[in-house]
Amino acid sequence: MMVPMEQALLFEARARVLADLQARGAADAAAVSALEDAVAQRRWWAEQWPEGEVYVAGLVAQDVQDALFDTAGRWPLCHVCDVTVPVHTLHIQPDLGGPDPYWVCEERGEPVAPLGSL
Ligand SMILES: [Zn+2]
């Protein structure tokens, strides 16, 4: 039996965001719960708009980033800039969430890593 397309996409989106949470030691119970909520909401969204599938992974990452901002704090922090620069976060580019979402340093506007490869 084949896995439906949205299922596979959402599974991949979840895996990539989880990898980046783990890379920064941020994958605690609250963060994983926020991730599950984001995936559930984007599942509905992807069903309504199948052409939006390339945006799903980046949107899930942005949803989790927003959820953590209200609770655990900023994620993911930029580790590539000099320590003299104030602490700042990475953002998903393109803003729409895709295609090919990657993390960009908000200070320098430079790509840091593809989503899932922090
Ligand atoms: Zn930076």
Side-chain angles (χ1 to χ4, degrees):
M1 197 173 89
M2 295 226 346
V3 177
M5 182 61 90
E6 317 90 63
Q7 292 276 357
L9 278 167
L10 287 158
F11 187 81
E12 192 213 329
R14 183 185 180 284
R16 291 171 78 175
V17 176
L18 184 60
D20 285 349
L21 285 167
Q22 287 170 336
R24 297 305 175 83
D28 59 11
V32 172
S33 167
L35 173 57
E36 301 297 355
D37 288 350
V39 170
Q41 286 177 22
R42 294 300 172 183
R43 172 174 292 129
W44 180 86
W45 184 87
E47 284 166 3
Q48 310 309 305
W49 188 43
E51 296 78 19
E53 61 188 37
V54 295
Y55 307 109
V56 167
L59 289 170
V60 167
Q62 289 172 335
D63 291 346
V64 172
Q65 187 168 41
D66 288 347
L68 291 186
F69 186 81
D70 293 335
T71 55
R74 292 186 286 179
W75 166 85
L77 296 178
C78 179
H79 287 180
V80 294
C81 285
D82 200 273
V83 291
T84 58
V85 179
V87 172
H88 54 279
T89 49
L90 305 175
H91 284 286
I92 289 291
Q93 286 286 345
D95 274 342
L96 281 174
D100 300 324
Y102 54 91
W103 293 109
V104 173
C105 163
E106 68 177 13
E107 285 288 318
R108 295 203 268 186
E110 290 176 7
V112 172
L115 177 61
S117 303
L118 276 183

